[in-house]
């Protein structure tokens, strides 16, 4: 238990220390040292608890619960103050409703509630802790140099780096608390801390756009917070002793008791995971500095949303309410994947891809069979690693070429070869075999085939997967296009920036190699402990993956073997002669510059065309899940 408490409290202490770190050297030393310690403690957690099933820790809920409520009320007052300051009355109204529910819970029920096992650890928590501890720490280290450059390039933005890193470590501490808490009241507390942390980070630049987008994220997540608070009141009313406020007890209580709170908390998960109709907050969060985008998209905010959905997957299984939640995820996956085709801004592509993949994870959790829960956890792992690598890579490229437009990344393999290779691996990790995301989607198709209403999900996954290939492939093509740019602009980045990128690139490849081990030691035992049966990829499929990996390794080896004897040929333009600077003579003898450009098909896949459709469909499905849960109860 000491390791759990350390991982919750240590980042919180570092966060406070960040506020006091006036000097740059001190801040660099503190962030680097803290990142190493947090990552090491996460690995230690794996070594100690990775091979064990669920372990509950009986610690008194008082006075901790009372202290957490006082902090919650303080945070509510802070939000109300900001709402008044920026005249966002919707945020004030929502926080007032949420606070009223918390006060009602405290006065009407909390005095008689005495949850015993308030912390826990199992294999799923270990996986989440590794994601938070390792990826979150790497992002913090990367942010050191990034934020220095960011403020050099944006002198109009007030330099609040001490505050920035304070919120980053507070975020990490809250995420550890969220995945280790067995008491739903404690989970709610950490849930709300992540909401406020994301609000502060999105609004970091203090521009009108950043403030507006930060409040959009806040209001949407407050809706989820209200549903979460309502679930706490429901559980306290059903069980005055408070035992089903413990997550393990609630999951074991059966559908009749657990379905309504599971759907309410699932709604909170939908808002936090930015599924439609709440996806716009995550897209607006792109205004924040890139490390914030990486943190929100990979290891913290949105992962909290899908984490809670996967936790409640056994309750959703076999229910129409669960199918409705799953369909929210499936529609989100299809629509967001399609919209990504129309985007040329690299961060927007990554954002829509994140929304799409979170939708797929939610679809797996909503159907809730063992095979689909297994696939959902795989998706969480592979997505976290690949997406964090891509966000940090885009941030580095943007600071060097002063653009994040995919078209401007043409020929990056020449201008920034190391960065292009890392981005290539990250993109491959999102959609190519034998990398993880494709393995996970393969497993999801297997799971949906065996599930009720599964063919509808298989069809959606097939179409969504097809458009996914389209937008990733055209970006990948731009990176390796032979272009007129010959100047290398990669030199000059300090080591603090390269270390996280190299590490994440290694992790993308390592997870493919270690995937069978990760599955057999962590995911399969967790699924077995929940369902009494487990799931895994067949030996034949693993053999196919190994063969693909071997073929993939031949490519770089062949480059090394034939490097000296290779001939550099001019670009081929269907017989038309080109000059070394990529010009050719047109039909009238006029010299023209050769250019290439992707199709974005905005008329068919644009936001204005598809987003309203997805929003309307998912709003109806969310309401249907509530109605069906009420009918079933």
């Amino acid at each position: 238990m000491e390791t759990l408490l350390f991982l919750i409290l240590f980042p919180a202490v570092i966060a406070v220390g960040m506020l006091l770190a006036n000097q740059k050297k001190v801040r660099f030393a503190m962030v680097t040292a803290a990142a190493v310690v947090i990552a090491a403690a996460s690995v230690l957690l794996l070594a100690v608890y990775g091979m064990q099933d669920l372990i509950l820790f009986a610690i008194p809920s008082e006075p901790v619960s009372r202290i957490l409520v006082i902090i919650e009320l303080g945070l509510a007052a802070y939000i109300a103050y900001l709402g008044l300051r920026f005249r966002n009355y919707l945020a004030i109204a929502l926080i007032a409703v949420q606070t009223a529910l918390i006060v009602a819970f405290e006065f009407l029920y909390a005095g008689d509630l005495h949850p015993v096992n308030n912390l826990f650890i199992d294999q799923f928590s270990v996986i989440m802790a590794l994601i938070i501890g390792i990826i979150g720490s790497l992002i913090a280290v990367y942010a050191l140099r990034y934020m220095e450059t960011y403020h050099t390039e944006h002198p109009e933005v007030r330099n609040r780096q001490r505050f920035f890193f304070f919120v980053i470590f507070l975020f990490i501490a809250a995420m550890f608390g969220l995945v280790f808490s067995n008491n739903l009241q404690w989970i709610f507390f950490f849930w709300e801390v992540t909401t406020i942390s994301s609000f502060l980070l999105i609004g970091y630049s203090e521009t009108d756009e950043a403030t507006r987008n930060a409040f959009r994220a806040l209001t949407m997540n407050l809706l989820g917070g209200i549903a979460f608070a309502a679930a706490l009141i429901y559980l306290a009313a059903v069980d005055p002793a408070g035992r089903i406020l413990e997550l393990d007890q609630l999951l074991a209580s059966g559908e009749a008791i657990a379905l309504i709170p599971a759907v309410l908390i699932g709604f909170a998960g939908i808002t936090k995971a930015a599924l439609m109709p709440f996806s716009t907050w995550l897209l607006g969060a792109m205004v924040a500095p890139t490390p914030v985008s990486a943190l929100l998209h990979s290891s913290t905010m949105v992962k909290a949303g899908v984490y809670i959905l996967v936790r409640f997957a056994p309750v959703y299984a076999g229910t129409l309410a669960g199918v409705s939640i799953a369909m929210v995820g499936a529609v989100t996956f299809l629509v967001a994947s399609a919209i990504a085709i129309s985007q040329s801004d690299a961060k927007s592509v990554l954002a829509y891809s994140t929304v799409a993949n979170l939708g797929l994870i939610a679809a797996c959790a909503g159907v809730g069979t063992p095979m689909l829960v297994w696939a959902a956890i795989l998706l969480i792992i592979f997505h976290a690693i690949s997406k964090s690598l891509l966000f940090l890579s885009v941030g580095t490229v943007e600071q060097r070429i002063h653009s994040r437009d995919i078209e401007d990344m043409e020929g990056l393999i020449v201008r920034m070869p190391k960065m292009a290779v890392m981005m290539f691996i990250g993109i491959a990790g999102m959609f190519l075999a034998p990398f993880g995301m494709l393995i996970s989607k393969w497993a999801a198709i297997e799971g949906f085939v065996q599930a009720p209403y599964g063919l509808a999900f298989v069809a959606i996954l097939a179409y969504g997967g097809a458009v996914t290939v389209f937008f990733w492939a055209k970006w990948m093509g731009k990176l390796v296009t032979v272009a007129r740019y010959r100047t290398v602009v990669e030199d000059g980045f300090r080591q603090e920036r390269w270390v996280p990128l190299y590490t994440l690139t290694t992790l993308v490849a390592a997870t493919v190699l270690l995937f069978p081990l990760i599955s057999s030691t962590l995911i399969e035992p967790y699924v077995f402990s929940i369902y009494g049966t487990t799931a895994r990829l067949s030996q034949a499929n693993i053999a196919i993956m190994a063969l693909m990996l071997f073929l993939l390794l031949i490519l770089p080896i062949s480059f090394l073997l034939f490097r000296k004897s290779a001939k550099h040929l001019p670009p081929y333009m269907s017989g038309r002669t080109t000059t070394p600077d990529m010009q050719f003579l047109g039909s009238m003898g006029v010299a023209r510059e050769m250019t290439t450009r992707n199709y974005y098909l905005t008329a068919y896949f644009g936001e204005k065309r598809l987003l309203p459709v997805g929003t309307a469909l998912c709003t109806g499905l969310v309401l249907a899940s509530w109605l069906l849960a009420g009918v079933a109860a």
Side-chain angles (χ1 to χ4, degrees):
M1 186 173 69
E2 290 78 11
T3 311
L4 277 67
L5 292 174
F6 177 81
L7 283 170
I8 298 170
L9 297 176
F10 178 72
V13 172
I14 294 297
V16 175
M18 284 294 115
L19 291 175
L20 305 175
N22 283 321
Q23 296 183 357
K24 187 172 108 178
K25 288 184 178 178
V26 175
R27 183 170 63 249
F28 273 50
M30 285 182 65
V31 169
T32 305
V36 171
V37 171
I38 292 170
S42 303
V43 175
L44 176 63
L45 194 78
L46 170 67
V48 175
Y49 297 107
M51 299 295 178
Q52 301 185 41
D53 292 332
L54 172 69
I55 300 176
L56 299 167
F57 299 102
I59 59 175
S61 61
E62 298 296 344
V64 178
S65 295
R66 197 57 54 90
I67 294 171
L68 297 185
V69 170
I70 292 171
I71 297 174
E72 282 174 17
L73 295 177
L75 293 175
Y78 180 60
I79 291 174
Y81 160 73
L82 292 176
L84 284 172
R85 180 183 169 191
F86 292 99
R87 299 182 180 179
N88 193 306
Y89 302 113
L90 178 58
I92 297 173
L94 292 174
I95 196 62
V97 173
Q98 182 175 301
T99 304
L101 291 173
I102 293 301
V103 171
F105 175 82
E106 282 298 311
F107 278 94
L108 296 177
Y109 302 106
D112 298 324
L113 302 176
H114 301 289
V116 177
N117 300 311
N118 292 299
L119 292 178
F120 79 118
I121 186 80
D122 62 6
Q123 289 93 348
F124 190 19
S125 296
V126 170
I127 290 171
M128 292 299 297
L130 289 171
I131 291 173
I132 299 161
I134 296 175
I135 297 180
S137 298
L138 289 171
I139 292 170
V141 173
Y142 173 90
L144 287 169
R145 288 293 175 192
Y146 180 94
M147 293 306 293
E148 292 292 321
T149 308
Y150 176 85
H151 281 289
T152 301
E153 295 181 347
H154 299 278
E156 75 281 4
V157 176
R158 187 159 58 108
N159 193 332
R160 298 186 294 152
Q161 291 193 60
R162 286 188 297 167
F163 178 75
F164 178 86
F165 284 100
F166 161 74
V167 182
I168 290 284
F169 280 97
L170 186 66
F171 216 141
I172 292 173
M175 281 299 299
F176 278 126
L178 198 154
V179 300
F180 294 149
S181 293
N182 191 45
N183 183 334
L184 284 168
Q185 192 181 356
W186 292 17
I187 294 177
F188 176 74
F189 168 78
F190 291 116
W191 190 270
E192 289 306 293
V193 174
T194 63
T195 296
I196 294 174
S197 298
S198 63
F199 165 75
L200 296 172
L201 289 173
I202 295 169
Y204 177 78
S205 65
E206 300 178 293
T207 63
D208 291 342
E209 182 186 12
T211 303
R212 185 170 59 252
N213 292 351
F215 269 105
R216 184 192 303 161
L218 178 66
T219 52
M220 288 186 174
N221 281 286
L222 283 176
L223 286 172
I226 290 171
F228 205 135
L232 293 179
I233 291 177
Y234 176 88
L235 290 171
V238 169
D239 177 24
R243 289 308 306 272
I244 57 173
L245 275 178
E246 296 175 18
L247 183 59
D248 66 306
Q249 294 292 322
L250 177 60
L251 295 176
S253 64
E255 176 191 329
I257 294 175
L259 186 57
I260 286 182
V263 169
L264 287 170
I265 296 173
F267 174 75
I270 288 172
T271 61
K272 187 78 75 178
L275 304 186
M276 292 180 180
F278 305 105
S279 57
T280 53
W281 80 254
L282 191 61
L283 304 169
M286 294 301 101
V287 72
T290 295
V292 176
S293 304
L295 198 68
L296 296 182
H297 285 246
S298 61
S299 60
T300 56
M301 188 76 167
V302 297
K303 288 298 182 293
V306 291
Y307 164 79
I308 207 71
L309 286 169
V310 173
R311 278 287 178 200
F312 281 103
V315 181
Y316 302 138
T319 68
L320 290 175
V323 172
S324 294
I325 291 173
M327 197 53 76
V328 170
V331 171
T332 300
F333 173 69
L334 178 61
V335 175
S337 297
I339 294 176
I341 291 176
S342 67
Q343 305 298 307
S344 63
D345 183 304
K347 283 182 73 172
S348 294
V349 173
L350 295 178
Y352 273 112
S353 165
T354 295
V355 172
N357 284 290
L358 295 170
L360 181 56
I361 296 169
C364 294
V367 176
T369 63
M371 186 71 182
L372 287 170
V373 168
W374 181 81
I377 297 174
L378 270 185
L379 283 165
I380 289 173
I381 297 170
F382 291 131
H383 178 266
I385 300 170
S386 295
K387 196 53 69 69
S388 56
L389 171 62
L390 285 172
F391 265 109
L392 298 187
S393 299
V394 167
T396 303
V397 171
E398 182 186 7
Q399 288 193 334
R400 190 44 56 104
I401 69 173
H402 305 294
S403 172
R404 60 187 195 215
D405 193 304
I406 290 173
E407 298 301 318
D408 293 332
M409 295 182 190
E410 183 176 272
L412 205 68
I413 192 68
V414 176
R415 292 181 288 163
M416 301 180 72
K418 287 188 289 187
M419 188 56 59
V421 169
M422 285 189 274
M423 290 180 72
F424 197 91
I425 292 173
I427 293 174
M430 293 302 299
F431 82 106
L432 280 182
F435 289 98
M437 291 301 288
L438 192 69
I439 298 170
S440 308
K441 290 174 183 173
W442 189 341
I445 288 177
E446 280 194 30
F448 283 128
V449 167
Q450 301 164 11
Y453 314 104
L455 290 181
F457 291 99
V458 170
I460 292 173
L461 182 53
Y463 282 105
V467 294
T468 297
V469 172
F470 188 11
F471 68 76
W472 285 126
K474 64 183 185 181
W475 187 357
M476 186 180 274
K478 272 293 178 184
L479 296 178
V480 297
T481 298
V482 176
R484 58 190 178 281
Y485 303 107
R486 300 292 181 188
T487 306
V488 177
V489 295
E490 194 165 53
D491 296 336
F493 289 120
R494 301 289 293 272
Q495 197 63 22
E496 291 90 339
R497 182 170 293 195
W498 285 115
V499 168
L501 292 169
Y502 286 146
T503 307
L504 287 169
T505 305
T506 304
L507 285 175
V508 171
T511 47
V512 178
L513 294 170
L514 299 176
F515 147 72
L517 183 63
I518 296 170
S519 174
S520 61
T521 57
L522 292 174
I523 307 176
E524 291 170 28
Y526 169 72
V527 173
F528 184 82
S529 69
I530 299 296
Y531 293 97
T533 183
T534 192
R536 62 173 64 92
L537 211 58
S538 67
Q539 292 298 319
N541 288 333
I542 293 176
I544 293 172
M545 284 171 46
L547 180 61
M548 289 179 173
L549 189 61
F550 172 74
L551 293 173
L552 200 64
L553 290 174
I554 290 178
L555 186 63
I557 293 173
S558 65
F559 284 146
L560 294 174
L561 289 177
F562 301 104
R563 183 175 50 182
K564 293 183 178 177
S565 60
K567 295 181 180 178
H568 292 272
L569 300 176
Y572 179 70
M573 282 188 57
S574 302
R576 173 70 70 178
T577 305
T578 58
T579 60
D581 59 349
M582 305 296 288
Q583 293 195 350
F584 66 98
L585 291 178
S587 56
M588 301 297 290
V590 178
R592 297 184 182 279
E593 184 178 313
M594 192 205 80
T595 60
T596 59
R597 185 172 175 81
N598 283 306
Y599 287 106
Y600 290 94
L601 306 175
T602 308
Y604 302 100
F605 299 108
E607 285 179 325
K608 292 182 180 177
R609 189 179 185 87
L610 295 184
L611 196 56
V613 177
T615 299
L617 284 173
C618 290
T619 301
L621 288 166
V622 167
L623 295 175
S625 70
W626 292 355
L627 179 64
L628 292 167
V631 170

